[in-house]
Amino acid sequence: DAMEMWSRVDQYITEKLIPHDTVLEQVLSANRQAGLPPYDVSAAQGKLLQLFVRMQNAKRILEIGTLGGYSTIWMARALPADGRLVTLELDPRHAEVAQANVSLAQVEGVVELRVGNALEQLARLEEEGTAPFDLIFIDADKPNNPGYLKWALRFSRPGTIIIGDNVIRGGEIIDEASTDPRVNGVREFYDLLAQEDRISATAIQTVGSKGYDGFVLGVVNG
Ligand code: SAM
């Protein structure tokens, strides 16, 4: 079936373009062993995030939704030694696994993992007078996506890249009658992007080992 084909093609892409990486493989197996849900980005998507970090020359990254730190590590590896990646995670168990993975990957010098509800953590970051971020990756609870986008815009400068994951959801996002709060959160996210003239955005549908989904990519206007 289609899903099996997408997975096999993803495997081909990964074999060709993404060299075996013992650390990242250990990270994924640690996540599975700890019973974390398999919501990490795929290897191909992790590398895409890393390429965005490089294209952007990013020094400051904000990630909302750490899980086991798999995407965190992909991005952190492209940061310079004086770079910073702030990542927010609600679940202390996920955060504990993520912190161990970040240490295993030896990126703890650039990664700051904050545990707690992301909306509260974002308010705290503002109180601390955090500097703008160059790239923001939104990948936590989808019902809060509109709130995360508002914060992301506050923590941006002209040229900041904002990425939002899981914005296609097998095509469910076009279902106006959906009662799924994740679908509705994502639909509101689109509405906000449509209204907001501070950001120019698109969405790209993807297939692969994670099924049929996609991401939003936006750049904050000058
Ligand atoms: N970015 C990760 C990766 O690709 O490896 C995957 C993140 S996973 C899709 C979403 C994460 O967001 C989960 O670990 C979940 O516990 C966390 N989360 C859910 N609600 C949250 C909230 N209100 N604040 C912060 N994190 C939250």
Side-chain angles (χ1 to χ4, degrees):
D1 65 340
M3 178 66 203
E4 197 190 307
M5 176 67 95
W6 300 338
S7 288
R8 277 165 47 203
V9 173
D10 233 357
Q11 207 179 327
Y12 176 84
I13 293 168
T14 307
E15 276 163 16
K16 286 288 171 190
L17 303 178
I18 306 177
H20 270 291
D21 186 309
T22 325
V23 167
L24 287 173
E25 282 154 19
Q26 278 178 260
V27 164
L28 287 180
S29 85
N31 292 355
R32 296 300 80 80
Q33 262 169 37
L36 268 49
Y39 301 152
D40 336 74
V41 293
S42 70
Q45 290 162 344
K47 183 148 181 194
L48 180 67
L49 289 170
Q50 182 174 87
L51 294 174
F52 285 144
V53 172
R54 290 180 58 189
M55 287 158 73
Q56 175 74 338
N57 241 313
K59 278 200 155 189
R60 288 180 51 78
I61 300 172
L62 173 65
E63 176 178 62
I64 308 175
T66 316
L67 189 65
Y70 183 74
S71 54
T72 315
I73 293 166
W74 269 110
M75 293 189 285
R77 281 177 165 180
L79 279 174
D82 63 345
R84 197 103 193 119
L85 188 160
V86 176
T87 185
L88 312 178
E89 175 55 53
L90 173 66
D91 188 321
R93 222 169 37 88
H94 296 184
E96 197 182 313
V97 176
Q99 193 61 59
N101 286 334
V102 160
S103 299
L104 176 76
Q106 296 180 297
V107 290
E108 68 268 48
V110 291
V111 173
E112 181 183 337
L113 172 58
R114 291 176 168 234
V115 188
N117 189 309
L119 288 173
E120 284 166 25
Q121 291 296 328
L122 290 161
R124 197 156 305 157
L125 276 172
E126 171 152 86
E127 281 163 25
E128 292 168 14
T130 194
F133 293 94
D134 306 311
L135 183 146
I136 300 174
F137 179 43
I138 302 173
D139 191 23
D141 50 328
K142 310 308 164 186
N144 277 322
N145 259 22
Y148 296 148
L149 179 60
K150 286 177 192 157
W151 278 108
L153 288 166
R154 277 164 92 154
F155 292 152
S156 288
R157 44 114 179 138
T160 293
I161 291 179
I162 298 177
I163 301 154
D165 204 9
N166 311 119
V167 298
I168 303 296
R169 317 200 67 85
E172 280 180 58
I173 53 123
I174 60 170
D175 179 7
E176 288 170 34
S178 178
T179 53
D180 182 338
R182 291 167 303 184
V183 169
N184 291 322
V186 170
R187 288 177 61 88
E188 278 174 50
F189 183 61
Y190 279 100
D191 291 341
L192 208 56
L193 286 166
Q195 291 158 18
E196 185 55 73
D197 52 17
R198 283 179 294 171
I199 185 167
S200 177
T202 189
I204 293 297
Q205 305 180 66
T206 57
V207 294
S209 60
K210 302 282 163 172
Y212 169 38
D213 212 328
F215 62 92
V216 152
L217 174 68
V219 178
V220 175
N221 296 321

